[in-house]
């Protein structure tokens, strides 16, 4: 409920005082920042590139000041978003203001603003009125929560404030249908979407807060319906972990795996806004390419999906889907493991390392080290470790062989001495043996290092991409590795398509995880991550999920997805239980987020009807009680007619200031066709394709499979005809559901011919 006017006046005064303090602090820090920069420049000149303690200390101070300056600058317009009144046991009641960053007044030795990630701030998100507690670094703190107040701030001014009711549970409806709604949340959700994903520290809900603050070293799988904020929650969790485990979790040790480059751009501002920098962000394909050192062309999953959607060749589409399923399975991991065993056997088919006739290192010793003592290491690292060990032992080995040579020649000379022959002849033979012995020893000392070097040069591991390609060198060889367990037609297709890719110097994105896994087995990788976030995880194969697990050093992974949006269902995940049991051995936290904060009740109810057609074991989205217009279904006769009607819609909604508008087509070819007509009619639209990395305009035409995770004020779905979205196609059901869940406020559905039965059933 909104607060009383006299309280509001006090809050406005407090707000203005804090703003003034922050502005003064920014001025002070700006001066210090410039002074520090100048001092660093002078110290660098004075040191002349040599070590300087003063320079290091000054750089550390500059880093600290710059970070403080950034946080105060970020807090100028919205210094805080909430207040709690907490009476600690045996102490007086205190008021605490919570913001995006913790801000301290060093002169008064006082924390003016509490960081939203601090233990005390947890009372704002999950605490209830009356007796409660929070866990601080010093232990459990008990007391009473007497107030939870939320502030609505616009353009740097406090415009309203809301107090949360006693033990109020946001967005709950009782059996009689009475609505209990967070007014502050409703006001926030009614705002328009921007081109970037924003932080939601002011509106984090109880269930989201529990995820954000969950235990670090255990995988979390979040099944979140469209608009449930699962991506936002995962990124806020990341910011929380960096704050909470400051010494252990560094920015550079965190990885965010996104579905495409547009999505990476969409989330690009949220982490810096939360004070987290230098995070590794990439697509799964991009990560694999970096690790294997591949810079060539990739046949990406979107190109393959587009081909499957258009079904140019129905028979080939069946093979593509079947092979994608096989290649994405953990059974295929077993196949790669068998191939590695084959390579290991090839590697130990070797001879003794000899210098002349002398054995420097025997093949049995090499095999023992390779297949037993160092079996825990990747193949290449085993070889490197053996080479290091042999080099270290070389001097002793030479001495040992030298002793053996001297011993052999000692007995040979002794035998000569015992012969009853002419003394001159005897002396001559003995000298010859001494010379021969010295030559042998000299040759041993001279050639040992070179022989050892040449052996390891010949024994070195080959390029993993070449090794992977060899797996498909022939059907006979591939069948041998698979023990003839795959149908011949499937084998033929896999081998032939692989050979075709090799000839065209392209790698199928589905093969990237296999090559990376092979690299892990052959060479190992130098970089792992302390925490990994995987978005749109339902589109990953089981094999790819296994790779992600291997990239995490502490089993610290946040996996978010929605089975209802699994448009790559031919290879992706259709059941989280499989991931939990097969990849993480039943050791995960599984959470189902069903509350949707994106769309109106009318849009979500409409989309849920399509979700029902998928017959999945998931709970449909429950909308925030924010109402709007029902989605409108409109018929069009031609593409020109479609563009004209779209422009009529835009003229109407422009009055309502619904700024971001997306025409969502099923395929890229449809997008290009519509864009061509729009351009012909002098209409300004931006066409998004697979190569697009950034959305520049507010009016876009985008293929269905690239909208995942994105949201728009208004969406216009192109041609939802039965022919285009067939009720018998599982893929069409998922694509249409994705399309219908992108809009915040308004949705228009166009069709040509007969309307899809998914929208009429």
């Amino acid at each position: 409920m909104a607060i009383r006017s006299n309280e509001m006046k006090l809050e406005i005064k407090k707000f203005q005082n804090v703003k003034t303090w922050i502005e003064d602090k920014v001025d002070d820090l700006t001066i210090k920042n410039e002074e520090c920069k100048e001092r660093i420049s002078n110290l660098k000149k004075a040191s002349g590139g040599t070590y300087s303690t003063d320079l290091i200390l000054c750089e550390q101070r500059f880093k600290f000041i710059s970070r403080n300056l950034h946080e105060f600058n970020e807090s100028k317009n919205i210094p805080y978003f909430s207040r709690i009144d907490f009476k600690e046991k045996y102490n007086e009641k205190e008021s605490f203001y919570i913001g995006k960053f913790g801000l301290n007044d060093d002169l008064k030795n006082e924390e003016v603003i509490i960081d939203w990630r601090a233990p005390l701030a947890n009372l704002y998100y999950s605490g209830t009125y009356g007796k409660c507690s929070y866990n601080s670094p010093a232990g459990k703190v008990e007391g009473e929560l007497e107030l939870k107040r939320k502030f609505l701030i616009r353009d740097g001014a406090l415009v309203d404030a809301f107090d949360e009711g006693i033990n109020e549970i946001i967005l709950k409806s009782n059996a009689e249908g009475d609505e209990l709604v967070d007014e502050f949340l409703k006001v926030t959700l009614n705002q328009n979407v921007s081109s970037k994903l924003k932080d939601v520290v002011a509106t984090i809900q109880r269930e989201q807060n529990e995820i954000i603050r969950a235990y670090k070293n255990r995988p979390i799988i979040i099944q979140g319906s469209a608009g449930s904020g699962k991506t936002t929650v995962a990124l806020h969790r990341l910011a929380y972990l960096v704050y909470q485990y400051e010494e252990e979790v560094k920015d550079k040790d965190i990885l965010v795996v996104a579905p495409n480059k547009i999505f990476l751009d969409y989330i690009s501002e949220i982490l810096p806004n939360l004070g987290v920098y230098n995070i590794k962000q990439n697509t799964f394909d991009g990560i694999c390419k970096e690790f294997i050192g591949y810079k060539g062309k990739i046949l990406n999953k979107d190109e393959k999906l587009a081909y499957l959607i258009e079904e140019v060749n129905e028979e080939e589409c069946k093979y593509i889907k079947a092979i994608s399923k096989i290649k994405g399975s953990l059974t295929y991991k077993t196949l790669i493991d068998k191939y590695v065993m084959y390579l290991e056997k090839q590697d130990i088919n070797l001879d003794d390392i000899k210098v002349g006739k002398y054995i420097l290192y025997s093949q049995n010793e090499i095999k023992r080290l390779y297949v037993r003592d160092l079996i825990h290491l990747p193949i290449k690292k085993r070889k490197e470790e053996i080479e290091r060990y042999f080099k270290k032992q070389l001097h002793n080995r030479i001495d040992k062989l030298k002793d053996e040579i001297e011993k052999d020649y000692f007995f040979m000379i002794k035998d000569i001495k015992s012969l009853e022959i002419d003394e001159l002849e005897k002396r001559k033979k003995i000298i010859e043996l001494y010379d021969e012995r010295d030559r042998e020893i000299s040759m041993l000392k001279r050639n040992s290092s070179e022989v050892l070097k040449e052996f390891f040069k010949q024994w070195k591991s080959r390029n993993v991409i070449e090794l992977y390609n060899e797996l498909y060198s022939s059907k006979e060889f591939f069948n041998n590795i698979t023990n003839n367990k795959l149908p011949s037609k499937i084998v033929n297709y896999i081998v032939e398509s692989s050979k075709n890719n090799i000839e065209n110097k392209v790698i199928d994105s589905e093969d990237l995880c296999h090559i990376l896994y092979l690299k892990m087995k052959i060479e190992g990788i130098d970089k792992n991550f302390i925490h990994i976030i995987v978005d749109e995880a339902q589109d990953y194969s089981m094999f790819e999920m296994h790779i992600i697990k291997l990239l995490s050093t502490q089993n610290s992974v946040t996996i978010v997805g929605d089975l209802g949006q699994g448009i790559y269902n031919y290879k992706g995940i259709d059941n989280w239980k499989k991931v939990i049991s097969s990849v993480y051995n039943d050791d995960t936290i599984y959470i189902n987020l069903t509350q949707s904060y994106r769309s109106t009740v009318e849009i979500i109810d409409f989309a849920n009807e399509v979700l029902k057609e998928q017959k999945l074991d998931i709970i449909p989205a429950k909308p925030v009680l924010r109402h709007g217009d029902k989605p409108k279904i409109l018929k069009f006769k031609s593409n020109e007619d479609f563009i004209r009607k779209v422009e009529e819609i835009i003229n109407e909604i422009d009055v309502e200031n619904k700024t971001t508008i997306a025409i969502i087509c099923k395929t890229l070819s449809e997008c290009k066709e519509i864009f061509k007509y729009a351009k012909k009619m002098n209409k300004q639209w931006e066409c998004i394709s697979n190569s697009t990395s950034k959305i520049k305009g507010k009016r876009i035409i985008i293929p269905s499979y690239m909208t995942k995770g994105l949201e728009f004020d208004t969406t216009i779905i192109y041609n939802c005809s039965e022919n285009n979205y067939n009720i018998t196609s599982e893929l069409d059901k998922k694509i249409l559901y994705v399309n219908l869940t992108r809009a915040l406020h308004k949705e228009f559905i166009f069709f040509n011919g007969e309307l899809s039965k998914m929208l009429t059933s």
Side-chain angles (χ1 to χ4, degrees):
M1 66 174 98
I3 67 174
R4 292 191 297 270
S5 60
N6 62 325
E7 289 183 273
M8 189 64 186
K9 286 177 185 176
L10 292 173
E11 290 293 5
I12 289 172
K13 186 178 179 181
K14 166 78 176 179
F15 183 81
Q16 289 169 342
N17 288 339
V18 171
K19 273 201 75 177
T20 301
W21 171 72
I22 289 175
E23 286 163 3
D24 291 343
K25 216 32 190 163
V26 167
D27 292 342
D28 179 51
L29 287 168
T30 302
I31 292 168
K32 288 179 179 177
N33 200 52
E34 290 303 315
E35 288 174 348
C36 209
K37 262 202 282 191
E38 187 177 350
R39 177 157 170 73
I40 287 170
S41 178
N42 292 334
L43 286 169
K44 281 183 176 178
K45 288 175 185 175
S47 67
T50 60
Y51 179 82
S52 168
T53 305
D54 288 343
L55 177 59
I56 291 170
L57 291 173
C58 195
E59 285 176 335
Q60 288 174 349
R61 184 166 181 265
F62 175 69
K63 188 177 178 181
F64 176 77
I65 292 170
S66 296
R67 180 176 174 178
N68 260 7
L69 179 59
H70 168 78
E71 291 177 356
F72 274 92
N73 264 321
E74 282 287 309
S75 304
K76 275 197 300 189
N77 285 331
I78 306 178
Y80 50 81
F81 52 80
S82 68
R83 164 188 161 186
I84 59 171
D85 288 359
F86 181 67
K87 183 183 181 300
E88 191 177 332
K89 203 171 182 179
Y90 309 122
N91 288 326
E92 294 297 316
K93 179 184 77 174
E94 287 186 78
S95 295
F96 300 96
Y97 287 80
I98 301 167
K100 196 188 295 184
F101 297 105
L103 303 180
N104 296 308
D105 188 335
D106 297 329
L107 295 176
K108 295 181 180 179
N109 194 26
E110 173 182 71
E111 195 169 16
V112 179
I113 311 294
I114 305 295
D115 194 296
W116 70 275
R117 297 165 289 187
L120 175 60
N122 194 32
L123 293 177
Y124 166 69
Y125 295 113
S126 296
T128 55
Y129 282 78
K131 290 184 178 179
C132 61
S133 63
Y134 68 92
N135 294 316
S136 77
K140 190 175 183 180
V141 179
E142 296 181 332
E144 289 191 25
L145 182 63
E146 298 186 5
L147 179 73
K148 288 172 74 173
R149 179 167 289 170
K150 306 171 185 184
F151 300 108
L152 185 61
I153 298 163
R154 285 183 182 153
D155 301 322
L158 177 58
V159 296
D160 212 342
F162 305 86
D163 284 351
E164 186 175 309
I166 295 175
N167 293 335
E168 181 176 6
I169 300 174
I170 296 170
L171 309 173
K172 182 179 178 183
S173 297
N174 63 25
E176 287 75 34
D178 296 331
E179 297 175 357
L180 204 73
V181 183
D182 185 334
E183 294 176 71
F184 178 71
L185 181 62
K186 282 188 72 176
V187 171
T188 305
L189 294 176
N190 272 319
Q191 296 174 3
N192 293 341
V193 69
S194 72
S195 60
K196 307 286 185 187
L197 188 65
K198 300 296 183 184
D199 69 79
V200 294
V201 290
T203 57
I204 291 169
Q205 303 300 291
R206 185 192 299 270
E207 61 178 358
Q208 296 174 329
N209 182 55
E210 288 171 359
I211 296 168
I212 289 167
R213 296 171 189 261
Y215 176 60
K216 178 174 71 71
N217 290 351
R218 196 175 175 199
I220 296 178
I221 296 178
I222 304 168
Q223 161 58 40
S225 55
S228 60
K230 53 188 178 292
T231 301
T232 307
V233 168
L235 295 173
H236 281 67
R237 171 166 167 73
L238 188 155
Y240 170 78
L241 293 176
V242 170
Y243 174 90
Q244 187 68 17
Y245 304 94
E246 188 177 3
E247 295 303 314
E248 185 182 348
V249 181
K250 304 297 181 185
D251 296 6
K252 62 183 176 61
D253 297 323
I254 296 172
L255 170 66
V256 176
V257 187
N260 52 52
K261 290 178 181 177
I262 284 181
F263 191 81
L264 284 170
D265 179 64
Y266 182 59
I267 66 171
S268 61
E269 290 182 359
I270 187 170
L271 290 173
N273 285 344
L274 291 170
V276 180
Y277 312 94
N278 305 318
I279 295 293
K280 180 77 173 175
Q281 300 179 57
N282 209 335
T283 61
F284 183 78
D285 288 2
I287 290 295
C288 290
K289 284 179 71 174
E290 282 186 24
F291 273 117
I292 64 177
Y294 179 70
K295 296 180 180 179
K297 188 181 174 185
I298 294 290
L299 175 60
N300 68 52
K301 65 182 190 298
D302 290 339
E303 291 177 82
K304 186 172 285 189
L305 179 64
Y307 184 85
L308 293 173
I309 290 172
E310 295 181 16
E311 290 191 336
V312 178
N313 184 322
E314 193 174 340
E315 185 68 18
E316 187 174 14
C317 285
K318 287 180 181 177
Y319 276 111
I320 289 173
K321 289 178 182 178
I323 288 161
S324 293
K325 201 75 176 173
I326 292 168
K327 281 192 167 185
S329 68
L330 290 179
T331 303
Y332 216 80
K333 172 192 159 299
T334 306
L335 184 151
I336 303 295
D337 286 334
K338 288 186 69 175
Y339 182 49
V340 171
M341 289 172 65
Y342 165 81
L343 294 173
E344 285 178 328
K345 287 179 181 177
Q346 295 295 108
D347 267 340
I348 57 174
N349 185 21
L350 40 80
D351 296 322
D352 300 326
I353 302 176
K354 298 171 75 174
V355 182
K357 62 183 179 181
Y358 301 104
I359 298 173
L360 200 58
Y361 297 99
S362 71
Q363 58 174 271
N364 288 335
E365 183 178 6
I366 300 167
K367 286 178 182 178
R368 175 180 57 79
L369 290 167
Y370 185 76
V371 302
R372 193 185 74 186
D373 296 358
L374 300 173
I375 192 69
H376 60 285
L377 295 175
I379 288 175
K380 184 181 178 183
K381 290 193 182 296
R382 280 184 242 170
K383 293 177 180 179
E384 289 172 349
E385 192 62 23
I386 293 170
E387 182 178 18
R388 187 195 65 78
Y389 173 70
F390 280 3
K391 282 181 178 178
K392 188 177 179 182
Q393 293 292 318
L394 186 59
H395 182 74
N396 291 337
R397 291 298 173 103
I398 291 171
D399 283 348
K400 186 178 178 182
L401 286 176
K402 176 175 167 285
D403 289 343
E404 289 179 11
I405 292 170
E406 286 178 339
K407 185 178 179 181
D408 289 343
Y409 277 90
F410 171 80
F411 287 110
M412 290 168 64
I413 291 167
K414 186 179 179 182
D415 289 342
I416 295 295
K417 285 180 177 179
S418 64
L419 292 175
E420 294 182 0
I421 57 173
D422 181 73
E423 285 299 319
L424 287 174
E425 182 67 21
K426 185 185 290 187
R427 181 178 176 82
K428 181 182 176 184
K429 285 182 180 291
I430 290 171
I431 291 171
E432 285 176 355
L433 284 173
Y434 275 124
D435 289 342
E436 188 177 316
R437 180 200 64 182
D438 292 343
R439 282 195 301 273
E440 293 278 1
I441 291 172
S442 176
M443 182 269 298
L444 177 68
K445 290 179 177 178
R446 187 176 62 252
N447 294 343
S448 290
S449 292
E450 193 57 38
V451 166
L452 199 61
K453 183 179 177 181
E454 185 60 28
F455 173 83
F456 283 102
K457 183 180 176 182
Q458 296 295 325
W459 201 38
K460 71 178 181 179
S461 299
R462 290 164 51 207
N463 178 277
V464 289
I465 296 176
E466 290 177 9
L467 287 173
Y468 183 70
N469 288 341
E470 237 176 60
L471 178 60
Y472 307 105
S473 57
S474 72
K475 295 166 193 174
E476 292 74 25
F477 181 70
F478 187 74
N479 272 323
N480 182 47
I481 297 295
T482 61
N483 289 333
N484 296 298
K485 287 186 177 179
L486 291 176
S488 59
K489 287 184 178 180
I490 293 290
V491 170
N492 290 346
Y493 194 94
I494 289 175
V495 171
E496 291 306 317
S497 60
S498 297
K499 284 183 177 179
N500 188 53
N501 287 339
I502 293 166
E503 287 174 13
N504 293 322
K505 296 181 179 178
V506 62
I507 293 178
D508 192 317
S509 64
E510 290 171 0
D511 291 317
L512 285 172
C513 65
H514 306 154
I515 298 171
L516 178 52
Y517 183 67
L518 190 61
K519 182 182 175 69
M520 289 174 172
K521 290 287 187 179
I522 300 291
E523 300 178 6
I525 55 173
D526 297 326
K527 174 72 179 176
N528 286 84
F529 300 92
I530 289 176
H531 187 74
I532 300 176
I533 288 176
V534 187
D535 207 341
E536 302 295 346
Q538 75 281 348
D539 292 333
Y540 291 78
S541 69
M542 293 290 284
F543 202 141
E544 288 168 339
M545 292 303 296
H546 181 73
I547 291 293
I548 287 164
K549 180 190 177 183
L550 295 178
L551 290 175
S552 169
T553 54
Q554 299 179 359
N555 224 17
S556 184
V557 187
T558 303
I559 298 165
V560 297
D562 179 13
L563 298 181
Q565 299 181 62
I567 59 176
Y568 301 89
N569 64 326
Y570 58 90
K571 69 146 185 148
I573 294 161
D574 56 12
N575 192 320
W576 294 118
K577 290 176 184 176
K578 294 178 184 176
V579 180
I580 293 168
S581 61
S582 300
V583 178
Y584 290 103
N585 301 315
D586 294 318
D587 183 25
T588 62
I589 300 169
Y590 177 78
I591 298 164
N592 200 335
L593 290 180
T594 58
Q595 191 71 63
S596 179
Y597 303 98
R598 177 183 295 150
S599 309
T600 61
V601 172
E602 290 73 18
I603 291 172
I604 291 175
D605 286 347
F606 190 85
N608 280 344
E609 291 302 312
V610 174
L611 181 63
K612 286 178 187 176
E613 294 292 335
Q614 295 189 38
K615 295 179 173 57
L616 293 168
D617 186 24
I618 56 173
I619 302 169
K622 298 173 185 175
V624 167
L625 295 168
R626 181 173 67 86
H627 289 278
D629 295 335
K630 288 184 177 180
K632 291 182 181 177
I633 299 176
L634 303 164
K635 191 169 186 176
F636 71 98
K637 296 176 182 177
S638 63
N639 285 334
E640 292 97 330
D641 183 37
F642 171 75
I643 293 296
R644 274 194 296 269
K645 287 181 176 177
V646 166
E647 286 302 313
E648 289 172 10
I649 289 169
I650 290 170
N651 292 334
E652 288 178 21
I653 62 178
D654 272 350
V655 179
E656 302 173 39
N657 196 29
K658 304 305 182 195
T659 56
T660 57
I661 303 167
I663 295 175
I664 303 175
C665 300
K666 187 179 180 183
T667 65
L668 180 58
S669 58
E670 284 181 350
C671 289
K672 290 177 178 177
E673 189 71 12
I674 293 302
F675 180 69
K676 184 176 72 177
Y677 279 100
K679 200 172 180 183
K680 194 187 296 181
M681 296 170 71
N682 296 317
K683 306 303 178 185
Q684 298 299 312
W685 290 86
E686 179 186 0
C687 187
I688 305 301
S689 68
N690 297 329
S691 59
T692 305
S693 59
K694 184 182 240 180
I695 296 175
K696 297 171 185 174
K698 291 188 175 180
R699 294 183 182 180
I700 66 168
I701 303 170
I702 186 169
S704 56
Y705 50 84
M706 295 193 73
T707 63
K708 301 278 282 296
L710 305 180
E711 54 187 33
F712 312 93
D713 289 324
T714 300
T715 58
I716 298 164
I717 319 298
Y718 174 75
N719 200 13
C720 286
S721 66
E722 177 60 20
N723 185 50
N724 213 20
Y725 290 94
N726 193 284
I727 197 167
T728 62
S729 168
E730 291 302 316
L731 180 56
D732 284 355
K733 290 175 188 177
K734 292 181 182 294
I735 291 172
L736 185 54
Y737 177 68
V738 171
N739 294 350
L740 294 174
T741 54
R742 302 301 101 201
L744 273 78
H745 306 296
K746 289 183 177 293
E747 188 167 74
F748 299 87
I749 297 125
F750 280 83
F751 72 100
N752 179 261
E754 181 189 356
L755 181 65
S756 171
K757 288 184 174 64
M758 284 185 265
L759 302 179
T760 60
S761 58

